[in-house]
PDB file of all heavy atoms in Angstrom:
ATOM      1  N   VAL A 198       3.415   9.957  20.051  1.00 98.00           N
ATOM      2  CA  VAL A 198       2.617  10.757  20.885  1.00 98.00           C
ATOM      3  C   VAL A 198       3.192  12.119  21.073  1.00 98.00           C
ATOM      4  O   VAL A 198       2.478  13.156  20.844  1.00 98.00           O
ATOM      5  CB  VAL A 198       2.328  10.108  22.339  1.00 98.00           C
ATOM      6  CG1 VAL A 198       1.483  10.991  23.193  1.00 98.00           C
ATOM      7  CG2 VAL A 198       1.695   8.749  22.146  1.00 98.00           C
ATOM      8  N   ALA A 199       4.468  12.187  21.357  1.00 98.00           N
ATOM      9  CA  ALA A 199       5.136  13.469  21.594  1.00 98.00           C
ATOM     10  C   ALA A 199       5.034  14.436  20.519  1.00 98.00           C
ATOM     11  O   ALA A 199       4.803  15.671  20.728  1.00 98.00           O
ATOM     12  CB  ALA A 199       6.616  13.249  21.951  1.00 98.00           C
ATOM     13  N   LYS A 200       5.023  13.975  19.208  1.00 96.00           N
ATOM     14  CA  LYS A 200       4.987  14.892  18.098  1.00 96.00           C
ATOM     15  C   LYS A 200       3.563  15.268  17.691  1.00 96.00           C
ATOM     16  O   LYS A 200       3.378  16.103  16.843  1.00 96.00           O
ATOM     17  CB  LYS A 200       5.822  14.314  16.965  1.00 96.00           C
ATOM     18  CG  LYS A 200       5.207  13.249  16.134  1.00 96.00           C
ATOM     19  CD  LYS A 200       6.281  12.919  15.060  1.00 96.00           C
ATOM     20  CE  LYS A 200       5.603  11.982  14.023  1.00 96.00           C
ATOM     21  NZ  LYS A 200       6.582  11.433  13.084  1.00 96.00           N
ATOM     22  N   THR A 201       2.534  14.622  18.315  1.00 97.00           N
ATOM     23  CA  THR A 201       1.209  14.843  17.837  1.00 97.00           C
ATOM     24  C   THR A 201       0.331  15.518  18.944  1.00 97.00           C
ATOM     25  O   THR A 201      -0.522  16.314  18.698  1.00 97.00           O
ATOM     26  CB  THR A 201       0.503  13.619  17.366  1.00 97.00           C
ATOM     27  OG1 THR A 201       0.569  12.618  18.360  1.00 97.00           O
ATOM     28  CG2 THR A 201       1.124  13.051  16.055  1.00 97.00           C
ATOM     29  N   LEU A 202       0.592  15.086  20.198  1.00 98.00           N
ATOM     30  CA  LEU A 202      -0.223  15.573  21.273  1.00 98.00           C
ATOM     31  C   LEU A 202       0.071  17.114  21.558  1.00 98.00           C
ATOM     32  O   LEU A 202       1.241  17.444  21.722  1.00 98.00           O
ATOM     33  CB  LEU A 202      -0.015  14.786  22.535  1.00 98.00           C
ATOM     34  CG  LEU A 202      -1.150  14.769  23.528  1.00 98.00           C
ATOM     35  CD1 LEU A 202      -2.364  14.034  23.086  1.00 98.00           C
ATOM     36  CD2 LEU A 202      -0.708  14.244  24.928  1.00 98.00           C
ATOM     37  N   PRO A 203      -0.956  17.915  21.671  1.00 97.00           N
ATOM     38  CA  PRO A 203      -0.636  19.324  21.919  1.00 97.00           C
ATOM     39  C   PRO A 203      -0.108  19.601  23.274  1.00 97.00           C
ATOM     40  O   PRO A 203      -0.395  18.912  24.219  1.00 97.00           O
ATOM     41  CB  PRO A 203      -2.052  20.021  21.742  1.00 97.00           C
ATOM     42  CG  PRO A 203      -3.026  18.938  22.006  1.00 97.00           C
ATOM     43  CD  PRO A 203      -2.403  17.669  21.538  1.00 97.00           C
ATOM     44  N   ASP A 204       0.714  20.677  23.368  1.00 97.00           N
ATOM     45  CA  ASP A 204       1.313  21.080  24.630  1.00 97.00           C
ATOM     46  C   ASP A 204       0.174  21.528  25.602  1.00 97.00           C
ATOM     47  O   ASP A 204      -0.733  22.202  25.153  1.00 97.00           O
ATOM     48  CB  ASP A 204       2.229  22.299  24.288  1.00 97.00           C
ATOM     49  CG  ASP A 204       2.816  22.812  25.557  1.00 97.00           C
ATOM     50  OD1 ASP A 204       3.665  22.203  26.177  1.00 97.00           O
ATOM     51  OD2 ASP A 204       2.431  24.005  25.881  1.00 97.00           O
ATOM     52  N   GLN A 205       0.279  21.098  26.860  1.00 98.00           N
ATOM     53  CA  GLN A 205      -0.820  21.421  27.810  1.00 98.00           C
ATOM     54  C   GLN A 205      -0.983  22.868  28.033  1.00 98.00           C
ATOM     55  O   GLN A 205      -2.068  23.342  28.234  1.00 98.00           O
ATOM     56  CB  GLN A 205      -0.429  20.683  29.123  1.00 98.00           C
ATOM     57  CG  GLN A 205      -0.530  19.139  29.023  1.00 98.00           C
ATOM     58  CD  GLN A 205      -0.688  18.451  30.396  1.00 98.00           C
ATOM     59  OE1 GLN A 205      -0.776  19.124  31.427  1.00 98.00           O
ATOM     60  NE2 GLN A 205      -0.635  17.132  30.325  1.00 98.00           N
ATOM     61  N   GLN A 206       0.087  23.604  27.905  1.00 98.00           N
ATOM     62  CA  GLN A 206      -0.003  25.086  28.147  1.00 98.00           C
ATOM     63  C   GLN A 206      -0.730  25.748  26.981  1.00 98.00           C
ATOM     64  O   GLN A 206      -1.585  26.648  27.140  1.00 98.00           O
ATOM     65  CB  GLN A 206       1.405  25.720  28.184  1.00 98.00           C
ATOM     66  CG  GLN A 206       1.482  27.100  28.647  1.00 98.00           C
ATOM     67  CD  GLN A 206       0.962  27.358  30.054  1.00 98.00           C
ATOM     68  OE1 GLN A 206       1.356  26.623  30.969  1.00 98.00           O
ATOM     69  NE2 GLN A 206       0.162  28.372  30.229  1.00 98.00           N
ATOM     70  N   LYS A 207      -0.483  25.179  25.714  1.00 98.00           N
ATOM     71  CA  LYS A 207      -1.140  25.709  24.568  1.00 98.00           C
ATOM     72  C   LYS A 207      -2.677  25.360  24.586  1.00 98.00           C
ATOM     73  O   LYS A 207      -3.513  26.161  24.256  1.00 98.00           O
ATOM     74  CB  LYS A 207      -0.522  25.043  23.330  1.00 98.00           C
ATOM     75  CG  LYS A 207      -0.942  25.711  21.985  1.00 98.00           C
ATOM     76  CD  LYS A 207      -0.176  25.091  20.833  1.00 98.00           C
ATOM     77  CE  LYS A 207      -0.917  25.408  19.473  1.00 98.00           C
ATOM     78  NZ  LYS A 207      -0.670  24.428  18.425  1.00 98.00           N
ATOM     79  N   VAL A 208      -2.993  24.252  25.115  1.00 98.00           N
ATOM     80  CA  VAL A 208      -4.374  23.770  25.230  1.00 98.00           C
ATOM     81  C   VAL A 208      -5.079  24.709  26.285  1.00 98.00           C
ATOM     82  O   VAL A 208      -6.280  25.165  26.071  1.00 98.00           O
ATOM     83  CB  VAL A 208      -4.577  22.328  25.744  1.00 98.00           C
ATOM     84  CG1 VAL A 208      -5.968  21.989  26.047  1.00 98.00           C
ATOM     85  CG2 VAL A 208      -3.957  21.420  24.597  1.00 98.00           C
TER      86      VAL A 208
END
Side-chain angles (χ1 to χ4, degrees):
Chain A
V198 177
K200 75 182 192 188
T201 54
L202 203 72
D204 177 69
Q205 295 199 2
Q206 190 66 46
K207 193 179 160 203
V208 171

